[in-house]
Amino acid sequence: MLPGDINLNDLFVFDDGIPHDWFRWMRANDPLRWQPETEGAGYWCVSRYDDAVAVSRDNVLFSSSAGGTNIFEAGDEQLVMLRALMLNMDPPGHSKYRRLVNKGFTPARVANLRSGIVEMSREIVDSIAERGECEFVDDVASQLPMMSICDMLGVPVEDRRHVYDLSNTLIGFDDPEFQVSDDDRMGASLGMFEYAQKLGDERRANPGDDLVSVLVNGEVDGEKLDDLEFNSFFLLIALAGNETTRTVTSQAMRLLIEHPDQRALLVDDPSLLAGAVEEVLRYNPAVIHFRRTATADTELGGQAINKGEKVVIWYPSINRDESMFDDPDAFDIRRSPNEHLAFGVGEHFCLGANLARVQLNAILGELVSRLPDMEFAGPVRRLHSNFIDGIKEMRLSFTPQGKVT
Amino acid sequence: MKIKVDYDLCEANAICMRESPKVFEVDDDDNLQVLVEEPGEELHASVREAVRLCPRQALKLED
């Protein structure tokens, strides 16, 4: 590998998986590598754990709001829209919104959802168990996040597919297979906003104990959320809640199939499940990168950074930093400690981390115990993206089993 | 070493409990309990890591 080959803008590279050779080289030789761009000013790549923690914890110097959290350079009008998403806010504004929504996601609240999530997982595995084959992403991995996030938001069962399709269109923009044009994307945003509006109006009139009711009736600084704020919340939660957990569920099954020794350990000893989930999160975090923008001239890991420059954290690299993880390229479900940053750290730490952990434990526990011999029945096809480490198709076969419900 | 918790920031993510279970406990009602307010030398490393990795930066140390 020649360092001159490194181009993290090249999405075709990501079709074959995360370019770990590149990241390994960067961590060792150029931990704050400058990545030039043809359609942008270029950006600094954070590849080491400690630098990622430093950037994530300093929201004043490394802003989420100044230029958003995606690499592309948004225009002023677009930035206004982006900044309505909590993801692209800084404190103190961010902290206020966060306080409003986090009530729905605390460990105690999520613990109340656990039995429902376990029940849904059972039904999902039932839906494929007798067939002996499935397309894992659509039939299994996408189901639980969609059901549980919709459940949480209060989206009725008959509308779930609609919300799910919109969320797919919104996230799949880089992949030509989804043929998503800018118009489609705009249409999907509007569709999501319209749907949120409708549901929000309903819950304003008839509040329930779902998150939408909390959002439309709750207050930030004594004021209710306006339509743009509420709709943006809804969009972000629907999107983040669907794509990420689906991705990690698919990656988990791929990793277990590719590492039969590790799967055998798990089948023999289900108490290893929680650790296995953490190792999957470390090994293939769903989100590949997030960006910050330097708000002043500064220095990071010995590298001078100028005000206004983009700083991009690459989580797959952070999670394999040799200084934090022994033998980082080994997939080891018994790894301990395992302080991966798949959920980030600092102000923007994943709101849904608790929920994701419960979901992943439930669905993988069900799969590993009931269908322990899943095998590939076709190529694993990855999302054409350097943002989400997604799998778009994964055909699997297994020994058919009976239903349990 | 003395631990201070900003309860306005704390979200009960329980990362501190993982890093330093002898010092931090998140109870069933999502309240963070500091079990040892002035932890002994042997716990300092784990407490520092808990402070560093607190997602919400709700933990602070005083000498």
Side-chain angles (χ1 to χ4, degrees):
Chain A
M1 189 222 82
L2 296 167
D5 295 340
I6 297 177
N7 178 7
L8 293 170
N9 304 316
D10 184 354
L11 305 188
F12 289 97
V13 168
F14 289 83
D15 290 349
D16 299 324
I18 303 293
H20 282 292
D21 287 356
W22 289 357
F23 287 127
R24 198 176 302 115
W25 184 89
M26 285 161 60
R27 286 193 301 275
N29 301 290
D30 196 0
L32 266 294
R33 180 177 173 274
W34 178 257
Q35 174 65 59
E37 290 178 287
T38 45
E39 290 171 37
Y43 52 86
W44 298 106
C45 296
V46 178
S47 57
R48 281 187 185 167
Y49 193 97
D50 286 349
D51 293 334
V53 173
V55 169
S56 304
R57 286 180 60 100
D58 193 339
N59 328 100
V60 176
L61 207 43
F62 299 103
S63 166
S64 294
S65 160
T69 47
N70 296 113
I71 295 178
F72 72 87
E73 282 151 39
D76 288 346
E77 219 170 287
Q78 211 175 1
L79 267 177
V80 173
M81 297 288 283
L82 287 174
R83 285 178 187 144
L85 301 174
M86 239 172 49
L87 191 67
N88 303 312
M89 292 180 191
D90 289 327
H94 178 268
S95 319
K96 289 189 294 197
Y97 288 100
R98 177 105 182 185
R99 220 162 289 151
L100 177 65
V101 276
N102 80 39
K103 305 268 181 292
F105 293 90
T106 62
R109 169 85 205 203
V110 169
N112 289 335
L113 301 171
R114 181 174 284 122
S115 61
I117 289 173
V118 169
E119 189 55 37
M120 287 187 248
S121 303
R122 224 166 258 158
E123 286 166 16
I124 292 165
V125 175
D126 270 354
S127 74
I128 60 160
E130 294 174 336
R131 298 201 326 236
E133 54 85 33
C134 69
E135 195 290 286
F136 190 81
V137 181
D138 225 30
D139 295 344
V140 179
S142 65
Q143 299 294 324
L144 183 61
M146 176 172 56
M147 288 184 196
S148 45
I149 205 74
C150 284
D151 222 27
M152 204 165 176
L153 282 164
V155 175
V157 176
E158 62 271 21
D159 296 342
R160 285 178 184 171
R161 187 76 213 185
H162 179 57
V163 172
Y164 174 69
D165 287 342
L166 290 172
S167 120
N168 272 353
T169 309
L170 280 169
I171 206 91
F173 53 84
D174 280 332
D175 194 310
E177 191 169 309
F178 292 103
Q179 296 186 326
V180 178
S181 65
D182 282 353
D183 283 352
D184 293 340
R185 205 171 142 195
M186 199 42 102
S189 303
L190 288 175
M192 198 71 105
F193 274 23
E194 270 166 31
Y195 183 78
Q197 188 84 42
K198 190 184 100 188
L199 192 63
D201 287 347
E202 246 170 69
R203 294 301 195 276
R204 248 177 231 117
N206 298 302
D209 64 353
D210 51 77
L211 196 53
V212 164
S213 299
V214 172
L215 290 175
V216 293
N217 298 306
E219 293 180 349
V220 173
D221 275 355
E223 282 181 46
K224 295 235 158 105
L225 300 182
D226 66 27
D227 286 347
L228 176 63
E229 287 172 325
F230 164 68
N231 294 346
S232 303
F233 254 125
F234 185 89
L235 182 143
L236 184 60
I237 292 172
L239 213 63
N242 269 318
E243 293 294 334
T244 48
T245 319
R246 167 189 4 165
T247 288
V248 180
T249 305
S250 303
Q251 292 287 7
M253 189 44 72
R254 175 185 70 82
L255 286 167
L256 290 173
I257 294 173
E258 287 179 2
H259 298 86
D261 56 321
Q262 298 292 307
R263 177 161 66 178
L265 287 173
L266 188 54
V267 171
D268 285 350
D269 182 0
S271 76
L272 297 175
L273 183 60
V277 166
E278 296 307 313
E279 181 65 346
V280 171
L281 286 162
R282 183 189 74 86
Y283 211 77
N284 279 89
V287 174
I288 301 174
H289 72 252
F290 272 130
R291 162 201 168 181
R292 299 291 187 266
T293 306
T295 58
D297 291 352
T298 184
E299 183 260 304
L300 180 67
Q303 174 63 54
I305 290 174
N306 295 316
K307 179 180 176 175
E309 284 178 340
K310 299 190 277 188
V311 176
V312 177
I313 301 172
W314 295 89
Y315 298 96
S317 179
I318 307 311
N319 281 356
R320 296 200 190 188
D321 186 331
E322 295 77 3
S323 70
M324 195 67 186
F325 304 98
D326 294 333
D327 197 4
D329 291 321
F331 177 70
D332 175 8
I333 64 169
R334 288 177 294 188
R335 183 180 293 277
S336 176
N338 190 351
E339 294 309 330
H340 63 76
L341 296 189
F343 295 120
V345 62
E347 183 73 21
H348 291 272
F349 179 76
C350 175
L351 185 64
N354 294 316
L355 179 63
R357 285 190 162 113
V358 168
Q359 290 184 30
L360 291 166
N361 275 279
I363 190 72
L364 290 174
E366 202 69 22
L367 285 162
V368 169
S369 61
R370 291 175 57 194
L371 307 173
D373 64 351
M374 282 187 145
E375 283 303 329
F376 297 124
V380 176
R381 299 183 54 239
R382 292 169 184 267
L383 194 67
H384 184 66
S385 170
N386 67 358
F387 177 53
I388 295 287
D389 191 13
I391 293 178
K392 54 186 176 184
E393 190 183 9
M394 187 163 79
R395 300 215 148 266
L396 301 181
S397 59
F398 49 88
T399 308
Q401 303 289 343
K403 297 182 181 189
V404 297
T405 56
Chain B
M1 176 188 273
K2 206 171 167 199
I3 299 165
K4 287 202 76 174
V5 182
D6 184 337
Y7 284 98
D8 278 342
L9 288 177
C10 177
E11 275 179 2
N13 284 302
I15 308 274
C16 53
M17 189 162 91
R18 244 177 31 212
E19 292 299 324
S20 195
K22 287 188 180 137
V23 178
F24 301 100
E25 185 178 294
V26 175
D27 66 24
D28 291 344
D29 295 321
D30 280 343
N31 295 314
L32 171 61
Q33 312 285 351
V34 178
L35 306 175
V36 197
E37 251 176 65
E38 294 186 40
E41 197 82 37
E42 74 285 0
L43 295 168
H44 284 191
S46 68
V47 169
R48 283 211 178 82
E49 205 54 7
V51 171
R52 185 169 91 113
L53 293 179
C54 170
R56 305 294 300 152
Q57 290 165 252
L59 300 176
K60 295 243 168 351
L61 292 181
E62 287 175 355
D63 291 334

